[in-house]
Amino acid sequence: MSALTSFKKPDPLFRRHIGNPILIPSYWPYQVNAVFNPAAAEFRGETLLLIRTEDLRGFSHFTIAKSKDGKKNWSILPDLILGPDTNIGEEQYGLEDPRIVWLEEQGKYAITYVCFSRGGPLVSVMMTEDFRTFDRKGPLLPPEDKDASLFPRRFKGRFALIHRPIIRGEAHIWICFSPDLKHWGDHRVVIPTRSGWWDCHRVGLGAQPIETPEGWLLVYHGVRVAASGSVYRVGLALLDLDEPWKLISRSEQWVLSPTEAYEQRGNVPGVVFPTGAVVDRDTKELRLYYGAADTTVALATADLSELIQFVKQDSGKNIWR
């Protein structure tokens, strides 16, 4: 018997929603090319998605959709379109890939997002209390930078930001800190690419950091460039609860990959790209919202305790490289 035949096929950690994709361009009350990469939050008893919506010029803006159970019967709100501010130079080519966290200390939601300028993509932040009015604070760091989220609380008085700059062509996940959301320092790599692995070419944050008793759960995407193009898959990592620059564990295997037709066919084939998550307070079910093939919004669910157990058990000696 070969070593491979001794492996039992495990039950999937993430289970795709039977109604996937849950949001598609034809649902929109105006003409769009794609709807994908949504941020997610619980807001006034509903699940709120802030969805990247691409127009027929190729520029993106944000649209809000709401659902009572976060799975079906979505209501799209065309009166809450959040587009680029023409007075802000870095937003001239659109807004992309938001993440949302609730900042208890400020009593506001913080939305980190990518905006495109002539200088390239960079990370900006805006604040809101009601998802109707938004206070844009501007860019946090210079280009080229993407895949960013604040943590929902401070660490020894400092805000923390997960982000993914491109440096010398390398694309690792970094963390940095700030006393005031303006001045950032103490930069360091927290999750690097792994040469030869499924996440060898690029890694980037998926959903916003999720606080658990075992540490901060990160759902991240990893990219491997194949002969047919780039393949985006999803992995898990766990950061220390009080010192989030410390990587506790990291899954060796991916936990979600583009295998379904709606993940394989679209504007960018072979992409599952998570950007938002909501944890049910009663059942501890994690709902992961992701862009499929840069065209539609899909949903996968998992048991939070099973994810934590998996990332701790599947972490080997190759946490780093």
Side-chain angles (χ1 to χ4, degrees):
M1 179 183 295
S2 70
L4 289 178
T5 60
S6 64
F7 283 104
K8 178 183 177 182
K9 185 177 180 180
D11 293 329
L13 284 172
F14 281 100
R15 296 165 290 280
R16 289 172 174 83
H17 183 53
I18 192 171
N20 272 352
I22 58 172
L23 291 165
I24 61 178
S26 63
Y27 294 172
W28 257 239
Y30 55 95
Q31 192 173 26
V32 299
N33 175 57
V35 295
F36 57 117
N37 299 2
E42 290 184 301
F43 181 67
R44 295 177 180 173
E46 296 181 297
T47 296
L48 179 148
L49 298 185
L50 187 63
I51 302 163
R52 176 179 171 182
T53 305
E54 187 182 75
D55 64 25
L56 300 191
R57 301 173 301 165
F59 298 158
S60 293
H61 57 274
F62 297 148
T63 313
I64 289 176
K66 295 181 179 181
S67 166
K68 289 290 186 182
D69 65 2
K71 296 180 180 180
K72 60 185 184 301
N73 298 325
W74 292 93
S75 174
I76 300 164
L77 309 181
D79 62 325
L80 288 177
I81 296 172
L82 186 60
D85 187 331
T86 56
N87 296 316
I88 301 177
E90 67 270 9
E91 293 188 357
Q92 60 185 303
Y93 298 139
L95 315 178
E96 303 180 358
D97 302 349
R99 278 87 171 177
I100 300 171
V101 296
W102 169 251
L103 298 179
E104 183 72 34
E105 181 182 341
Q106 283 72 28
K108 297 178 181 180
Y109 293 92
I111 304 168
T112 47
Y113 61 101
V114 176
C115 53
F116 263 88
S117 68
R118 290 186 180 275
L122 70 166
V123 173
S124 291
V125 67
M126 62 177 75
M127 301 290 184
T128 185
E129 297 178 21
D130 55 8
F131 289 98
R132 300 197 73 89
T133 58
F134 301 87
D135 180 15
R136 305 186 198 214
K137 300 296 186 181
L140 302 181
L141 297 166
E144 178 173 340
D145 210 347
K146 288 187 174 185
D147 302 327
S149 177
L150 290 166
F151 284 78
R153 63 176 174 86
R154 297 197 199 206
F155 302 92
K156 298 181 180 179
R158 300 188 299 173
F159 296 97
L161 178 77
I162 290 279
H163 63 119
R164 203 286 306 281
I166 302 291
I167 301 172
R168 300 188 310 272
E170 298 178 354
H172 312 300
I173 297 175
W174 289 64
I175 192 170
C176 58
F177 298 87
S178 170
D180 55 8
L181 293 176
K182 292 182 179 180
H183 306 92
W184 295 88
D186 200 7
H187 302 268
R188 63 188 83 184
V189 174
V190 65
I191 302 176
T193 57
R194 294 183 286 198
S195 180
W197 289 63
W198 62 271
D199 51 4
C200 60
H201 287 106
R202 290 191 299 278
V203 290
L205 180 68
Q208 74 276 15
I210 300 166
E211 188 170 8
T212 78
E214 301 288 335
W216 294 96
L217 177 67
L218 292 191
V219 180
Y220 75 94
H221 69 264
V223 181
R224 185 170 191 168
V225 179
S228 59
S230 298
V231 182
Y232 283 70
R233 301 183 178 101
V234 176
L236 303 173
L238 201 61
L239 307 181
D240 187 87
L241 203 57
D242 298 314
E243 298 177 317
W245 59 90
K246 293 182 178 179
L247 180 60
I248 298 173
S249 55
R250 178 182 183 180
S251 63
E252 292 192 339
Q253 306 172 66
W254 64 75
V255 295
L256 189 66
S257 65
T259 58
E260 301 301 310
Y262 54 86
E263 299 161 348
Q264 289 284 353
R265 292 196 294 270
N267 290 317
V268 185
V271 173
V272 289
F273 197 91
T275 41
V278 172
V279 177
D280 187 292
R281 297 177 184 178
D282 298 323
T283 66
K284 301 304 179 184
E285 177 189 68
L286 183 143
R287 301 195 302 273
L288 183 69
Y289 299 93
Y290 65 97
D294 277 16
T295 305
T296 61
V297 175
L299 166 65
T301 59
D303 182 274
L304 182 60
S305 62
E306 290 181 1
L307 295 180
I308 299 298
Q309 182 180 12
F310 177 84
V311 71
K312 293 173 69 176
Q313 292 180 348
D314 193 55
S315 181
K317 296 180 180 180
N318 292 287
I319 288 179
W320 289 90
R321 296 185 187 277

